[in-house]
Amino acid sequence: MKLWSWVLIFIVCNLTFSTISAFRLSRSQPTERISGSAGDVLEDDPVGRLKVFVYELPSKYNKKILQKDPRCLNHMFAAEIYMQRFLLSSPVRTLNPEEADWFYVPVYTTCDLTPNGLPLPFKSPRMMRSAIQLIASNWPYWNRTEGADHFFVVPHDFGACFHYQEEKAIGRGILTLLQRATLVQTFGQRNHVCLKEGSITVPPYAPPQKMQSHLIPEKTPRSIFVYFRGLFYDVGNDPEGGYYARGARAAVWENFKDNPLFDISTEHPTTYYEDMQRAIFCLCPLGWAPWSPRLVEAVIFGCIPVIIADDIVLPFADAIPWEEIGVFVDEKDVPYLDTILTSIPPEVILRKQRLLANPSMKQAMLFPQPAQPGDAFHQVLNGLARKLPHEKSVYLRPGEKLLNWTAGPVADLKPW
Amino acid sequence: MMKLSMFRLSYWNRRGSSFKSPPSLDTTFDGKSPSSVFWLVIHGLCCFISLILGFRFSHLVLFFLFSTSVSNLYTTPFLSVGNGGVSQLLRLKPLETATNNNSTAKKNSRVVVGRHGIRIRPWPHPNPIEVLRAHQLLSRVQKEQKSLYGVRIPKTVIVVTPTYVRTFQALHLTGVMHSLMLVPYDLVWIVVEAGGVTNETASFIAKSGLKTIHLGFDQKMPNTWEDRHKLETKMRLHALRIVREKKLDGIVMFADDSNMHSMELFDEIQTVKWVGALSVGILAHSGNAYELSSLLKNQQGKHNNKEKPLMPIQGPSCDSSEKLVGWHVFNTQPYAKKTAVYVDEKAAVMPRKMEWSGFVFNSRLLWKESVDDKPAWVKDHLLDDNGEEIDSPLSLVKDPSMVEPLGSCGRRVLLWWLRVEARADSKFPPGWIINSPLEITVPSKRTPWPDSSSELLVAIKEAKNSQSDSERHPTKARGSKSKSSKGKQEPKTFDGVNVSATLVKEDVKDTNQ
C-alpha cells in the first residue's frame, strides 16, 4: 500500500515537473513554449468550439470587387479576402444559421485601390451600411441582436473608422452600425476611438510563400545589430516633418544615421528578408498608423521586434505575451534607443530568440493558403470562441432598438 | 500661454472640421471673439508673407519667435533617461473621446494626435561604450547560434604539413599558418621538415601561437616532382606514426603548405566518423600564359559537341542517393608532354592521382591498441615499417566504398591544390631579414651627380632639413625626358640583398622638388 502511494507521488511529481515553462524539445533549436497566463492557447483547436454562419451576399460586395482589382490579394489588407475563403471551406462553418454562434458578413471594404495600390476608404461606410441593410432585411439574425453576434473583418488603417487620416478617423469614430458587432482589425491602440472593446487584433497580411522562399540557413551568424528599411520622412504628405509617425521615425534617423550598429535606410533592397534573418533587432516603428507588417516579418525571421508605438495593441494580445518577445520603447525614449538596446542582458535576448523560434508563434502570424492548424485564421476563431457563450444582454427584447440607423455624416447615408 | 491655446484652436479648426471641439481646454482661455479676431489677423499676416516669399510660411515660425521657452526645435537638455529630459514642444491637449454620453469619460490617452517635435539628443553620435556592449551581445548571440546549429562536441584538429626550407616556404607557410590560426577548434599542428629541423622553420611556426610538433626528417627534398611527392608521402606517414605514439585524439587532416583552405573546411571535417574524402580544386597552371589559353581552347574545341568540360576537381563522386560511387580524378591528358619534371620548371605541375590533402581520418584509426568499434575495413598495422609502399591514402583502407564523402557529397570545393616554387638558383635572405647594411651600387649614367656616395649623404641631409638644394636639381629634373629616364633607371637584375641606390636617390629627388 505504501509502495503504491510512493509510486503515485512520484508520477504526480513527474507530471508537474514536465509542465514547467521552459523545456528543451528534441529538435535542433531548443525553443521555449509560450506559457504562463496565456498558456498554450496558441495551439488550441477551435473546431468544435464554435459554429460560424457565412452570409451569402451578392457578389457585388465581394467577388466583383476582387475581379475589378486582383491586387487586393497581395497587399497587406488581404486578410478580409482570405478570411472568407477560409471560412467557406472550414469545418466550423455551418449552413444552419439557427445553430450558429457567430455570423460572418463577407464584404471587402478595403479593395478600392488607387493606381498606386493604396485603398480608398471613402465608399467603405456606404458599402458596409448597404450590406448590413441587406442582411437585416433578408435574415432575422441581425435584428435579433443588432449585430452583437456578428463579426466583420476591417483591416484598414484605423479599422472601422474608415479613414486613413487619424484625426478624421477619430472624428468619424467607429461606424454606428458596427457599434455592437465584433471587429477583426489590424489597428490597435489603447484608449483610442477606433478600437472597440472586444475587438480582435490580427496581424496584417504578409505573403507566406514569398517569405518562406527567402529563408537562409539558420547557422548564418546574426551580424547586424539593428535593422530597418523604410521611410523616415513622408515628404509627400508631411513635408515639414513631425506629423508622420509622430516624429518618431524622424527621430530614429536623426539620432542614429551615423551609428554603425544601426543598419537603417530608405532603400528597397532585394535582400530585405535575408537581411532580417541576419539581424538581432528589427525596428517596428509606427507610421501613419501604429501597426505595420514589419512585426510579422520580424517574427517569421526570428528578429526581435523593437516596437516604437505608444499604447499599441499587438495582434492576439490575449494569447501572445508580446512583452516577453519584443522590446517596447516609448516614443519619447527614441533618442536613447541605443542605450536601451545595448543594456538588455544577453540572457534576455537569448530567451526572446528562443520564444521567437517557436513554430507555433510563427504560424500564428501567417495567413497561409490552404489554412494550417495554429495559423492566424485559427487564432481569430479561438478569440471568437473565447467570447462564447454570449451574454444575455446580447439578445434584444422584441421591439428594442439600440442602434441609430441615421447617425453619422450625411454622405454615408447614401445608398451604395 | 494664451497664444498657445489660440494656436491650438486654430490648428484644430483648420485640420478637422467635422468633430466637436473638445470640452476641456485650457482654463486661461477667456472669450472667443477677441482671440479669434487676433488669430485672423495673424493668419492674414502669414498669408501675405507667404505670397511675398513664394513658399508656405508656417505659423510655427511665429509661435517660436514669440515663445519664451526653448528657442530651437531640435535642442533638448541632456538629462537622464528616467527624467525624460527631452522637452516636448507643442504639447497639444489629448482629444477627449465623448462618444459615450452616459458612461464616464475614458481615460486620457497619453498619445496625442497632431504635430510632434522631432527629438534629437544633444550629441546624436555613437557612444563607444555602447558600441562595445553591442559587439559583446553580437558575439554572445553568434556563439549561441554556433552551439545550436554548428558542431556539438568539437574534436581536436590534427594538421600534418610536410615542408622544407626554400624561397617560397615563407609564402606558403604564412598562408597555412593564418588559416590554422583562424580555426575555432583545438588544433595540433605537426610540421615535418625535410632535411632536419631548422631554426628558420621553428621560429616561423612559433609565431603562430598554436600547439605545434616540429619533426625533422632526415632526407633532403629532391628536385623532381615525382620524387618530391614520394618523399612527402613518407613524411606524412612519419607524422602519423607520431600521432599513434602520442595517442593524439582528434581528426587528422593534411594541409600541404602550398594549398589554400577555406574556413568551412574545418567545420565540415568535424562531421567525419572514420575516414572522409573531400573535393580538392586542382589549380594546375603553368607559368606560360599562351600555353594555358591554347590548352583551354583545345579543351573547348574537343568537348563542344560531346562531353561537358572536365572540372579540375579531385574527390568523391556520388550518385543521386548521396552514396559514394567513385572518384573524380584530375584529367592530366591535356597537359601530357607539357608537365614539369623539375621543381622549378615553368610548365604546369600535375597532382598525384589521389592527393593526400583530400582525405581526413579519425586519429583513433591509427592507434595501435584495438579501439572499440574500429571498423573492420581499415587495415591494421598500417604504419609499421614493413616496407609496404603506401602511395595513396586509399591504401590505408581495405574497402574504399566505406569512405564518407564530405562537403555535400563532394559538390562543395573547400580547398585548392596548387604547386608553385621558385627557380632553383633563387636566393633569399635567411629568415627574410636583411641584416647587413644596404650596399650602394654604381649609379647609372643618367644621374646628374658625378660622385654617388657623397652626394647621397648630402641629399639625405637636405631632405631632413627641408631646405631646397641648388638650382641644378630643378633645371635638370624638369621636363618629361627626366621622368622617362627615371623609369628606365629601374635596375634590370634585382638579385637578393643588394638594393639599388638609384631608387633611393629618385625618391630623395622627389622630396626636394
Side-chain angles (χ1 to χ4, degrees):
Chain A
M1 191 57 209
K2 242 197 170 165
L3 179 68
W4 283 117
S5 62
W6 279 117
V7 168
L8 198 64
I9 291 171
F10 182 72
I11 292 173
V12 166
C13 284
N14 266 346
L15 283 175
T16 52
F17 199 81
S18 63
T19 55
I20 288 176
S21 49
F23 65 88
R24 291 187 169 247
L25 303 172
S26 59
R27 51 195 108 155
S28 57
Q29 159 78 332
T31 58
E32 276 191 35
R33 293 180 74 85
I34 302 164
S35 64
S37 63
D40 300 334
V41 167
L42 284 181
E43 289 164 25
D44 281 350
D45 189 12
V47 174
R49 292 170 59 196
L50 80 164
K51 293 237 171 282
V52 176
F53 176 73
V54 182
Y55 282 112
E56 295 266 337
L57 291 182
S59 59
K60 74 167 181 170
Y61 290 101
N62 30 53
K63 292 203 185 71
K64 284 224 182 102
I65 300 178
L66 184 58
Q67 271 169 359
K68 255 196 279 184
D69 199 341
R71 282 181 299 176
C72 292
L73 282 173
N74 298 323
H75 66 177
M76 50 183 161
F77 310 102
E80 56 185 3
I81 301 170
Y82 292 119
M83 193 70 185
Q84 189 203 4
R85 291 191 183 178
F86 161 69
L87 284 173
L88 284 176
S89 55
S90 155
V92 303
R93 183 194 184 191
T94 166
L95 296 167
N96 177 9
E98 289 299 328
E99 62 168 9
D101 302 305
W102 286 101
F103 294 83
Y104 174 58
V105 184
V107 50
Y108 299 166
T109 51
T110 335
C111 202
D112 180 17
L113 303 184
T114 65
N116 273 348
L118 297 170
L120 292 172
F122 302 121
K123 295 198 202 138
S124 308
R126 288 162 49 201
M127 199 197 300
M128 188 63 89
R129 228 186 124 76
S130 132
I132 294 177
Q133 273 170 337
L134 192 78
I135 59 174
S137 48
N138 288 354
W139 284 275
Y141 308 104
W142 178 271
N143 288 327
R144 199 168 61 167
T145 58
E146 291 239 290
D149 55 356
H150 289 60
F151 72 94
F152 297 81
V153 180
V154 279
H156 195 65
D157 285 359
F158 289 97
C161 292
F162 292 123
H163 209 281
Y164 50 80
Q165 258 195 7
E166 190 166 0
E167 286 154 332
K168 294 223 171 77
I170 293 174
R172 296 178 66 97
I174 296 181
L175 196 67
T176 35
L177 291 177
L178 296 175
Q179 295 282 0
R180 287 169 60 86
T182 297
L183 299 174
V184 176
Q185 57 187 47
T186 50
F187 172 74
Q189 188 174 309
R190 283 189 280 275
N191 303 321
H192 197 277
V193 178
C194 298
L195 180 69
K196 204 167 87 72
E197 206 189 306
S199 302
I200 297 176
T201 339
V202 290
Y205 175 74
Q209 272 84 20
K210 189 167 162 209
M211 291 200 284
Q212 297 285 351
S213 65
H214 282 273
L215 287 175
I216 60 177
E218 278 173 328
K219 63 177 187 175
T220 315
R222 288 189 188 259
S223 47
I224 302 175
F225 193 63
V226 176
Y227 188 76
F228 176 76
R229 288 285 182 272
L231 291 177
F232 299 101
Y233 293 94
D234 188 352
V235 187
N237 298 321
D238 176 31
E240 287 162 3
Y243 216 142
Y244 177 57
R246 296 197 273 270
R249 287 193 184 199
V252 169
W253 175 250
E254 297 297 339
N255 281 298
F256 302 112
K257 59 187 175 205
D258 60 352
N259 196 322
L261 300 173
F262 283 68
D263 186 357
I264 56 179
S265 88
T266 53
E267 285 177 1
H268 281 267
T270 45
T271 54
Y272 176 58
Y273 289 144
E274 288 85 347
D275 291 339
M276 274 191 138
Q277 292 170 74
R278 285 178 38 230
I280 297 185
F281 291 106
C282 289
L283 294 184
C284 304
L286 71 159
W288 287 110
W291 57 271
S292 89
R294 284 187 182 85
L295 183 69
V296 177
E297 289 158 0
V299 170
I300 300 292
F301 295 128
C303 179
I304 301 175
V306 179
I307 296 148
I308 307 173
D310 286 344
D311 282 349
I312 188 174
V313 174
L314 289 175
F316 306 127
D318 50 347
I320 300 178
W322 287 106
E323 297 284 329
E324 295 179 35
I325 293 170
V327 179
F328 287 82
V329 178
D330 288 340
E331 287 165 32
K332 64 175 173 40
D333 292 331
V334 165
Y336 309 111
L337 192 61
D338 56 349
T339 315
I340 296 170
L341 291 180
T342 53
S343 56
I344 301 178
E347 309 82 48
V348 174
I349 293 183
L350 291 176
R351 174 153 193 269
K352 288 188 202 273
Q353 288 187 326
R354 278 198 295 272
L355 284 170
L356 281 171
N358 195 347
S360 59
M361 175 76 207
K362 296 190 207 268
Q363 190 76 316
M365 290 281 118
L366 290 175
F367 291 96
Q369 273 81 52
Q372 289 161 13
D375 63 6
F377 299 117
H378 289 89
Q379 302 303 335
V380 171
L381 291 178
N382 279 337
L384 290 170
R386 281 195 284 274
K387 293 176 99 184
L388 291 175
H390 292 297
E391 297 166 357
K392 287 277 169 52
S393 61
V394 155
Y395 296 98
L396 301 178
R397 287 186 292 276
E400 189 183 355
K401 282 240 175 285
L402 287 177
L403 290 182
N404 184 354
W405 283 71
T406 52
V410 179
D412 283 355
L413 299 175
K414 289 192 205 145
W416 185 73
Chain B
M1 291 312 281
M2 178 131 157
K3 291 191 184 80
L4 175 57
S5 60
M6 282 185 289
F7 181 74
R8 250 185 264 146
L9 182 63
S10 73
Y11 190 79
W12 278 333
N13 285 341
R14 215 159 26 92
R15 292 275 177 169
S17 56
S18 60
F19 63 94
K20 324 166 199 90
S21 62
S24 69
L25 274 184
D26 221 4
T27 48
T28 61
F29 182 66
D30 296 331
K32 248 197 168 176
S33 37
S35 51
S36 61
V37 166
F38 178 73
W39 180 251
L40 275 173
V41 168
I42 293 281
H43 189 71
L45 190 65
C46 288
C47 285
F48 187 58
I49 296 173
S50 308
L51 274 174
I52 296 174
L53 288 175
F55 59 83
R56 183 176 170 273
F57 184 74
S58 171
H59 304 259
L60 291 174
V61 177
L62 280 183
F63 174 67
F64 294 131
L65 283 176
F66 291 115
S67 146
T68 53
S69 58
V70 185
S71 57
N72 191 348
L73 180 66
Y74 293 147
T75 58
T76 79
F78 186 66
L79 296 174
S80 63
V81 182
N83 285 350
V86 180
S87 70
Q88 161 66 316
L89 303 168
L90 294 174
R91 185 168 289 284
L92 300 172
K93 262 289 178 109
L95 298 167
E96 288 266 338
T97 56
T99 48
N100 299 337
N101 36 16
N102 45 359
S103 63
T104 55
K106 272 192 195 165
K107 266 194 303 185
N108 273 350
S109 168
R110 63 193 177 112
V111 178
V112 296
V113 184
R115 190 174 298 280
H116 290 245
I118 301 171
R119 298 171 169 89
I120 303 179
R121 60 186 194 205
W123 181 247
H125 296 296
N127 182 343
I129 300 172
E130 269 145 35
V131 173
L132 181 68
R133 264 190 273 165
H135 280 288
Q136 284 167 351
L137 285 174
L138 277 170
S139 67
R140 177 72 189 86
V141 167
Q142 287 179 10
K143 192 170 129 201
E144 183 75 16
Q145 273 186 290
K146 219 179 164 62
S147 74
L148 287 172
Y149 305 112
V151 182
R152 285 290 166 145
I153 309 164
K155 297 191 203 144
T156 311
V157 180
I158 302 166
V159 185
V160 173
T161 303
T163 183
Y164 68 105
V165 177
R166 73 255 196 224
T167 310
F168 276 30
Q169 185 200 30
L171 171 76
H172 295 315
L173 267 189
T174 308
V176 174
M177 192 169 81
H178 287 177
S179 305
L180 296 180
M181 280 161 81
L182 283 175
V183 173
Y185 309 109
D186 291 331
L187 198 108
V188 175
W189 191 15
I190 303 180
V191 180
V192 189
E193 193 172 349
V197 172
T198 60
N199 274 343
E200 199 168 321
T201 314
S203 59
F204 201 90
I205 61 178
K207 282 190 268 182
S208 66
L210 300 167
K211 202 165 138 206
T212 54
I213 300 174
H214 191 178
L215 304 171
F217 201 74
D218 282 331
Q219 294 177 31
K220 276 184 80 86
M221 195 58 90
N223 212 12
T224 58
W225 283 111
E226 189 67 37
D227 296 333
R228 185 178 150 170
H229 286 140
K230 285 200 185 118
L231 188 67
E232 278 179 3
T233 309
K234 285 196 202 142
M235 285 158 74
R236 291 189 189 106
L237 291 174
H238 181 59
L240 292 181
R241 280 188 200 103
I242 298 293
V243 169
R244 184 174 61 169
E245 258 176 49
K246 299 208 171 178
K247 291 191 63 178
L248 295 176
D249 188 15
I251 298 176
V252 179
M253 64 155 296
F254 300 99
D256 297 342
D257 59 0
S258 55
N259 286 358
M260 181 55 70
H261 313 87
S262 72
M263 285 298 112
E264 288 85 18
L265 170 71
F266 297 100
D267 295 325
E268 191 68 23
I269 60 178
Q270 293 280 340
T271 61
V272 150
K273 225 170 155 269
W274 292 112
V275 181
L278 297 156
S279 278
V280 183
I282 304 291
L283 302 171
H285 286 280
S286 64
N288 193 341
Y290 293 117
E291 234 181 71
L292 185 62
S293 62
S294 66
L295 202 77
L296 287 174
K297 273 196 201 138
N298 281 348
Q299 249 194 359
Q300 265 181 349
K302 272 186 215 163
H303 297 129
N304 238 346
N305 327 339
K306 301 177 201 172
E307 304 136 32
K308 295 177 282 194
L310 302 168
M311 294 282 139
I313 308 275
Q314 200 182 78
S317 96
C318 301
D319 61 5
S320 49
S321 63
E322 309 292 321
K323 270 182 49 164
L324 182 70
V325 289
W327 304 93
H328 273 303
V329 173
F330 186 66
N331 186 13
T332 57
Q333 241 243 328
Y335 295 92
K337 297 181 198 139
K338 289 191 207 135
T339 60
V341 173
Y342 292 97
V343 169
D344 54 358
E345 268 186 67
K346 257 211 245 181
V349 184
M350 286 296 112
R352 310 278 282 156
K353 247 193 158 16
M354 280 282 126
E355 277 293 323
W356 280 84
S357 46
F359 287 86
V360 286
F361 303 103
N362 189 338
S363 67
R364 288 175 184 229
L365 284 181
L366 306 163
W367 289 0
K368 252 194 202 140
E369 304 86 30
S370 54
V371 179
D372 292 336
D373 65 84
K374 183 168 161 175
W377 41 268
V378 174
K379 285 189 193 155
D380 291 327
H381 315 295
L382 8 99
L383 298 174
D384 296 345
D385 297 324
N386 47 9
E388 195 181 306
E389 273 288 323
I390 302 176
D391 62 339
S392 138
L394 282 178
S395 52
L396 289 174
V397 295
K398 288 182 210 159
D399 184 8
S401 66
M402 298 302 289
V403 173
E404 302 151 40
L406 299 174
S408 58
C409 206
R411 281 191 288 269
R412 284 178 65 197
V413 176
L414 299 165
L415 74 154
W416 294 268
W417 177 97
L418 175 70
R419 289 283 181 264
V420 170
E421 293 299 339
R423 276 169 57 136
D425 59 345
S426 70
K427 293 193 191 55
F428 66 98
W432 288 96
I433 295 171
I434 302 169
N435 272 326
S436 50
L438 297 179
E439 291 172 24
I440 300 173
T441 59
V442 176
S444 80
K445 296 175 194 142
R446 305 283 176 103
T447 41
W449 301 298
D451 183 5
S452 59
S453 47
S454 58
E455 285 294 335
L456 178 63
L457 291 169
V458 166
I460 290 172
K461 271 198 207 138
E462 281 170 347
K464 278 187 194 163
N465 298 337
S466 71
Q467 280 170 2
S468 61
D469 205 9
S470 57
E471 294 79 75
R472 268 194 290 167
H473 297 281
T475 52
K476 288 283 166 73
R478 217 157 289 215
S480 57
K481 199 173 171 194
S482 65
K483 293 243 192 305
S484 60
S485 69
K486 264 197 229 167
K488 281 195 194 133
Q489 277 166 359
E490 291 282 320
K492 282 209 179 106
T493 57
F494 187 85
D495 212 2
V497 175
N498 297 329
V499 179
S500 166
T502 50
L503 280 173
V504 177
K505 269 205 203 160
E506 279 153 8
D507 292 341
V508 169
K509 239 191 339 184
D510 282 341
T511 57
N512 275 343
Q513 282 166 359

